[in-house]
């Protein structure tokens, strides 16, 4: 038996005895015997581990100098002759071309996978089958009267599923433009989009969405046709007839096209691919017009980026699709998957069952967001902390893997992976080789921790809908967290002065501005907003504040406007919420706080001195203003009133505060919490109440977990 095998057997026996069973301990002496055996075993494992430790890999770029800098404009080191990447290859210039290439490469191989029911395995549709359905559906749309031209907009109101891809490809097969709709937009925003984009036809995945649209039919007279993916019910059939809307079954439209085929009219690179509406935090949403060229530029740059890092996307890769296809991030990723002929497996539609889907699908590519990674991190720690022995072994393994990480080595074949981290890796299916995260920042602690225990690169990116989702990405092998990497080779990045916030480009700080073939065409029917976003030289002004690190990577440090993201990637406008909460009779002043590393809001409330006594009388509470502010009964009553008020005013669950702190003294110019024009000095308030804010997050997080 080899030394390798001996070590494996020793660790396996000790691990089973100590962790899986843990029943042999009868006395203190037993602890000593087992601990001694454990130390010998761990010592042997450690010696073997370091004897087998690989050399530091050669990386794609010098980690100490990751960008080209020309007069403050930064480019990727992967750009050849200072030229940005704009196409994948000569044959792929549109999203339509991308699928055609995948069809050529993979033909009768699996393309789209789904679970027919929770108790059945994944079922796969081949590339050829998808292509046939796309041709039939596209022809059917033309037969229904939709003009095969770029100005024809078609709505898609559906969760991720194979039909979404088929619909999307059918739309662009005839140069039409897709317009995604999604539930978190809210009713008013959804109505606005349908009217602004003049949607005459909308695809819906289920009867609930169809019913919702029919109930509001009079608010968007342009709508003529709804095509449902699921089997329509009789109620909606009758309601559609009453409202004068043509309600059709998806398969019937496909059959119509099958019987009446229409030749494709493929789009051109500068044609619109989709109008992606941002979930506007104030006012109406904005329709970002993204061209085929925008999407192709990002995925071509991403593939080149990954190839240079020795880990490009291959034909045998499997992607799990659960992030909304209504957003550009997922669209770019899936366009790349289809271009190389790889597989896309869709989750069941229930995020609570995502871990089950991961185990069964065994994806190699896992795009995600910080909120989910944070939950995974918490779950792992809970399991580790359930036993002192587990915690001891886990921390030892983590320490060893961290040393590798600092050398740029990320792997999953160490002795620690085999016996300590295997269950964690199996929870993600056991085959994940690349994880990407974006839409909001992720804690440095969580990122480094997961890179070690998952044993694969976790790449953090930065971007917006307006630049087709991604503009920077961390380099594989870069061990340092806390930044979002250098620019992708499809765009340049520069920082512009923001003097009112004391940020200056000369200090390597300022507003992040992006320029390249991935930058959008503007906002639909909104020249004013377009001019605010795009300057005369076509630089996109993101509104985010960035800072260049000494090694040329970008950090996002602030927001130009008082708008921020929560950890799940949703934008929040605190002043909108504050204006609503200020309507409470018990509130004199309010400050709503959010953190991009947290999934919820908290608030600082200054109670109204005139109405507070009556509330306290009802509650049977008395005392000084300071004592009343510390009363749990008073706090609970005011919080309840704020939540009821928020619901009445249409605030979403993400816009509700989970906890509040009552402060007895008014914000004022004198105490430095208000400007001379009586506006809240947000940064100063945040610093003033830093301890209270931290305490609320800790308390609210504990309540959520319990």
């Amino acid at each position: 038996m080899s030394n390798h095998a001996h070590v494996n057997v020793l660790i396996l026996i000790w691990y089973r005895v100590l962790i899986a069973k843990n029943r042999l301990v009868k006395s203190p002496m037993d602890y000593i015997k087992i601990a001694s055996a454990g130390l010998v075993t761990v010592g042997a494992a450690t010696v073997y581990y370091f004897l087998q430790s690989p050399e530091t890999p050669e990386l794609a770029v010098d980690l100490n100098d990751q960008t080209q800098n020309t007069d403050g404009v930064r480019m990727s080191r992967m750009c050849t002759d200072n030229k940005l990447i704009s196409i994948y290859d000569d044959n792929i210039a549109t999203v339509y071309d991308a699928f055609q290439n995948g069809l050529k490469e993979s033909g009768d191989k699996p393309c789209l996978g789904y679970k027919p029911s929770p108790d059945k395995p994944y079922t796969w549709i081949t590339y050829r089958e998808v292509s046939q359905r796309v041709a039939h559906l596209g022809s059917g749309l033309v037969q229904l009267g939709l003009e095969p031209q770029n100005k024809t907009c078609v709505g898609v109101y559906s969760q991720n599923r194979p039909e979404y891809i088929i619909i999307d490809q059918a739309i662009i097969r005839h140069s039409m433009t897709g317009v995604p709709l999604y539930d978190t937009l809210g009713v008013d925003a959804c109505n606005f989009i349908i009217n602004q984009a003049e949607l005459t036809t909308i695809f819906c995945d289920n009867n609930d969405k169809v019913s919702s649209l029919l109930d509001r039919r009079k608010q968007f007279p342009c709508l003529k046709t709804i095509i449902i993916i699921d089997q329509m019910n009789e109620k909606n059939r009758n309601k559609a007839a009453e409202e004068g809307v043509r309600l059709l079954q998806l398969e019937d439209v496909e059959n119509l096209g099958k019987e009446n085929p229409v030749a494709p009219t493929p789009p051109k690179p500068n044609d619109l691919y989709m109008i992606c509406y941002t979930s506007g935090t104030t006012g109406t949403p904005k329709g970002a017009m993204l061209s085929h060229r925008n999407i192709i530029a990002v995925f071509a740059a991403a593939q080149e980026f990954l190839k240079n890092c020795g880990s490009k996307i291959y034909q045998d890769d499997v992607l799990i699709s659960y992030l909304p296809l209504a957003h550009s991030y997922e669209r770019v990723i899936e366009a790349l998957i289809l271009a190389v002929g790889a597989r896309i497996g869709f989750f069941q539609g229930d995020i609570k069952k995502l871990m089950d889907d991961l185990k069964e699908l065994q994806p190699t590519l896992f795009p995600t967001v910080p909120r989910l990674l944070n939950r995974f991190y918490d779950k792992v720690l809970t399991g580790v902390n359930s036993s002192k022995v587990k915690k001891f072994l886990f921390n030892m393994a983590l320490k060893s893997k961290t040393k590798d990480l600092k050398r740029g080595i990320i792997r999953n074949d160490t002795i620690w992976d085999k016996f300590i981290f295997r269950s964690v890796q199996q929870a993600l299916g056991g085959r994940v080789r690349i994880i990407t995260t974006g839409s909001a920042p992720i804690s440095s602690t969580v990122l480094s921790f997961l890179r070690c225990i998952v044993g694969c690169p976790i790449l953090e990116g930065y971007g917006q809908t307006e630049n087709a989702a991604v503009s920077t990405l961390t380099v594989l092998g870069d061990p340092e967290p806390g930044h979002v990497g250098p620019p992708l080779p499809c765009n340049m990045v520069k920082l512009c002065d923001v003097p009112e916030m004391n940020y200056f480009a000369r200090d390597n700080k300022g507003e992040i501005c992006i320029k390249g073939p991935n930058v959008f065409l503007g906002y639909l029917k909104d020249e004013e907003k377009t001019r605010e976003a795009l300057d005369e030289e076509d630089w996109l002004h993101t509104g985010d504040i960035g800072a260049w690190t000494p090694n040329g990577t970008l950090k996002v440090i602030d927001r130009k406007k008082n708008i921020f993201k929560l950890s799940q990637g949703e934008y929040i406008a605190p002043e909108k919420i504050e204006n609503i909460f200020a309507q409470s009779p018990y509130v004199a002043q309010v400050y709503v706080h959010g953190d991009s590393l947290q999934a919820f809001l908290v608030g600082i409330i200054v109670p109204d001195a005139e109405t507070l006594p009556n509330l306290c009388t009802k509650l049977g509470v008395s005392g000084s203003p300071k004592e009343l502010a510390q009363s749990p009964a008073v706090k609970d009553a005011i919080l309840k009133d704020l939540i009821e008020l928020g619901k009445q005013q249409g605030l979403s669950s993400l816009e509700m505060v989970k906890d509040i702190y009552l402060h007895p003294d008014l914000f004022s110019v004198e105490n430095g919490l208000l400007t001379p024009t009586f506006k809240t000095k947000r940064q100063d308030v945040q610093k003033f109440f830093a301890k209270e804010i931290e305490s609320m997050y800790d308390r609210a997080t504990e309540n959520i977990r319990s």
Side-chain angles (χ1 to χ4, degrees):
M1 184 181 289
S2 67
N3 289 335
H4 186 174
H6 276 114
V7 172
N8 286 355
V9 170
L10 282 170
I11 289 188
L12 180 59
I13 292 173
W14 191 55
Y15 182 77
R16 296 295 186 195
V17 169
L18 224 58
I19 296 179
K21 300 300 182 183
N22 203 19
R23 295 176 180 173
L24 300 182
V25 179
K26 304 294 184 181
S27 68
M29 185 58 66
D30 291 330
Y31 272 112
I32 296 173
K33 291 178 180 178
I34 293 175
S36 299
L39 289 174
V40 172
T41 304
V42 171
T46 303
V47 170
Y48 174 78
Y49 176 78
F50 284 110
L51 286 175
Q52 299 296 315
S53 185
E55 296 294 325
T56 300
E58 184 176 342
L59 301 179
V61 298
D62 180 357
L63 296 184
N64 295 316
D65 187 17
Q66 297 191 33
T67 55
Q68 305 177 53
N69 183 4
T70 304
D71 297 328
V73 176
R74 306 265 183 153
M75 291 179 66
S76 170
R77 288 283 178 193
M78 299 178 193
C79 291
T80 304
D81 298 328
N82 291 331
K83 292 182 180 179
L84 298 174
I85 291 175
S86 60
I87 61 171
Y88 186 76
D89 64 31
D90 292 338
N91 298 317
I92 303 177
T94 67
V95 180
Y96 172 83
D97 296 337
F99 177 74
Q100 295 305 310
N101 190 73
L103 173 63
K104 182 180 68 175
E105 295 291 331
S106 294
D108 293 318
K109 293 180 180 179
C111 177
L112 307 177
Y114 66 99
K115 285 178 71 66
S117 63
D119 59 341
K120 292 184 179 180
Y122 269 87
T123 298
W124 291 89
I125 310 171
T126 69
Y127 271 83
R128 204 170 308 282
E129 290 168 335
V130 171
S131 178
Q132 290 172 348
R133 291 189 63 182
V134 166
H136 295 159
L137 182 57
S139 297
L141 291 176
V142 175
Q143 290 295 337
L144 290 177
L146 276 71
E147 292 289 335
Q149 56 188 8
N150 203 222
K151 68 179 183 180
T152 300
C153 293
V154 181
V156 185
Y157 192 10
S158 172
Q159 200 170 43
N160 293 25
R161 55 191 295 170
E163 291 85 355
Y164 203 123
I165 299 298
I166 292 169
I167 291 166
D168 187 52
Q169 287 294 324
I171 290 170
I172 64 175
R173 187 175 189 268
H174 296 282
S175 295
M176 301 177 197
T177 301
V179 181
L181 302 168
Y182 46 103
D183 290 328
T184 55
L185 283 169
V187 172
D188 292 339
C190 188
N191 294 349
F192 172 82
I193 292 170
I194 293 172
N195 285 318
Q196 189 186 58
E198 300 179 45
L199 299 181
T200 63
T201 303
I202 298 177
F203 286 88
C204 291
D205 57 351
N206 59 48
N207 280 287
D208 289 340
K209 291 188 175 81
V210 171
S211 179
S212 176
L213 291 177
L214 291 174
D215 287 342
R216 312 195 313 270
R217 169 70 175 85
K218 291 180 175 57
Q219 299 181 47
F220 31 78
C222 58
L223 181 62
K224 306 299 181 186
T225 303
I226 298 176
I227 302 172
I228 183 171
I229 300 172
D230 291 346
Q231 190 65 40
M232 75 175 74
N233 59 32
E234 196 63 26
K235 179 182 177 182
N236 280 337
R237 188 193 306 273
N238 295 333
K239 179 68 172 176
E242 293 173 8
E243 294 294 336
V245 173
R246 180 169 52 178
L247 180 59
L248 302 172
Q249 203 72 50
L250 177 68
E251 60 189 271
D252 292 337
V253 181
E254 289 185 51
N255 288 332
L256 175 65
K258 183 178 181 180
E259 296 169 0
N260 302 275
V262 178
T265 50
K268 300 177 182 64
N270 288 326
D271 282 348
L272 280 180
Y273 165 57
M274 66 186 294
I275 300 173
C276 192
Y277 278 85
T278 60
S279 51
T281 52
T282 56
T284 55
K286 297 175 291 186
M289 297 186 290
L290 294 172
S291 69
H292 287 265
R293 181 172 181 256
N294 296 151
I295 302 297
I296 297 301
V298 172
F299 93 52
Q303 183 74 322
E304 180 68 17
F305 181 95
L306 293 172
K307 184 180 74 173
N308 287 335
C309 293
S311 191
K312 69 175 185 177
I313 309 302
Y314 300 98
Q315 189 182 44
D316 58 357
D317 273 315
V318 181
L319 173 85
I320 183 163
S321 174
Y322 76 97
L323 297 177
L325 274 164
H327 298 317
S328 56
Y329 179 37
E330 186 72 7
R331 287 294 185 90
V332 169
I333 295 170
E334 297 200 15
L336 175 53
I337 295 298
L338 293 174
V340 301
R343 287 186 286 164
I344 300 172
F346 294 87
F347 81 133
Q348 297 178 61
D350 185 352
I351 199 67
K352 295 178 182 177
K353 297 179 180 179
L354 180 62
M355 300 309 293
D356 295 334
D357 297 332
L358 285 164
K359 289 179 183 177
E360 182 176 351
L361 185 63
Q362 296 183 323
T364 59
L365 308 173
F366 182 29
T368 189
V369 291
R371 188 180 187 188
L372 192 140
L373 292 177
N374 289 338
R375 288 180 178 176
F376 189 66
Y377 169 81
D378 289 340
K379 189 173 183 180
V380 171
L381 281 188
T382 299
V384 169
N385 292 331
S386 64
S387 160
K388 290 184 178 179
V389 176
K390 282 184 180 180
K391 188 174 182 179
F392 171 77
L393 285 175
F394 189 91
N395 287 339
M396 179 171 287
L398 184 63
K399 186 176 181 180
S400 293
K401 291 292 293 287
T402 300
K403 290 180 179 178
D404 267 356
L405 181 64
K406 290 180 178 179
R407 295 169 56 206
I409 300 169
I410 302 175
R411 56 181 180 149
N412 60 7
D413 58 353
T414 70
I415 202 77
W416 309 115
D417 293 297
K418 189 165 186 177
F419 295 108
I420 306 298
F421 300 138
R422 173 176 285 181
S423 60
V424 174
Q425 294 164 6
Q426 289 298 321
L428 298 178
R431 297 203 312 138
V432 175
R433 66 181 188 86
I434 298 177
I435 295 175
T436 60
T437 180
S439 83
I442 183 171
S443 160
S444 297
T445 300
V446 173
L447 186 59
S448 296
F449 177 92
L450 292 179
R451 280 174 172 167
C452 289
I453 69 171
V454 175
C456 77
I458 301 179
L459 308 180
E460 185 174 8
Y462 164 78
Q464 297 182 325
T465 301
E466 290 82 352
N467 62 258
V470 189
S471 58
T472 73
L473 192 64
T474 51
V475 174
L476 275 76
D478 187 345
E480 291 300 320
H483 64 85
V484 291
L488 275 182
C490 64
N491 57 235
M492 303 176 285
V493 178
K494 71 175 181 178
L495 303 180
C496 292
D497 292 347
V498 187
E500 65 270 24
M501 299 180 73
N502 204 32
Y503 292 124
F504 297 96
R506 64 172 181 265
D507 302 323
N508 283 322
K509 294 180 180 180
E511 182 182 10
I512 301 169
C513 297
I514 301 165
K515 185 177 182 180
N518 58 326
V519 172
F520 78 144
L521 305 179
Y523 296 114
L524 180 67
K525 300 177 183 178
D526 198 334
E527 292 185 8
E528 181 181 351
K529 293 294 183 183
T530 298
R531 286 195 299 270
E532 290 177 7
L534 293 173
D535 65 23
E536 295 178 352
E537 297 180 343
D538 293 327
W539 283 95
L540 170 65
H541 291 250
T542 66
D544 290 319
I545 304 296
W548 292 115
T549 66
N551 66 0
T553 58
L554 183 68
K555 294 181 71 171
V556 183
I557 60 173
D558 207 341
R559 179 73 181 162
K560 189 174 180 181
K561 298 178 181 178
N562 293 325
I563 299 175
F564 50 77
K565 279 185 179 181
L566 296 181
S567 63
Q568 57 271 70
E570 292 292 332
Y571 279 112
I572 297 295
E575 286 143 327
K576 164 192 165 185
I577 302 169
E578 290 163 357
N579 289 336
I580 291 174
F581 286 167
Q583 298 173 30
S584 169
Y586 309 120
V587 173
Q589 292 173 326
V590 55
Y591 166 77
V592 171
H593 180 81
D595 189 321
S596 58
L597 297 178
Q598 301 288 348
F600 52 87
L601 306 174
V602 295
I604 306 294
I605 304 294
V606 178
D608 189 293
E610 295 183 6
T611 59
L612 187 61
N614 291 334
L615 175 63
C616 293
T617 299
K618 293 178 183 178
L619 298 173
V621 178
S622 60
S624 66
K626 185 175 181 179
E627 291 170 338
L628 294 176
Q630 296 173 348
S631 167
V634 174
K635 189 190 84 167
D636 290 346
I638 293 178
L639 179 58
K640 181 180 178 181
D641 185 69
L642 294 178
I643 292 173
E644 290 177 354
L645 183 62
K647 289 179 180 178
Q648 293 171 8
Q649 297 290 327
L651 293 183
S652 68
S653 59
L654 293 175
E655 295 173 306
M656 298 291 193
V657 289
K658 297 298 182 184
D659 199 3
I660 58 174
Y661 171 77
L662 301 185
H663 184 63
D665 302 318
L666 289 168
F667 305 164
S668 67
V669 177
E670 288 73 21
N671 60 27
L673 301 182
L674 293 182
T675 69
T677 55
F678 303 103
K679 294 179 181 178
T680 303
K681 298 174 71 172
R682 306 194 69 83
Q683 293 181 347
D684 292 332
V685 172
Q686 179 182 341
K687 292 177 183 177
F688 188 87
F689 293 103
K691 291 182 179 179
E692 290 79 8
I693 290 170
E694 182 179 1
S695 177
M696 283 189 285
Y697 274 123
D698 290 342
R699 186 165 56 247
T701 300
E702 188 62 34
N703 290 338
I704 291 172
R705 287 176 178 170
S706 61

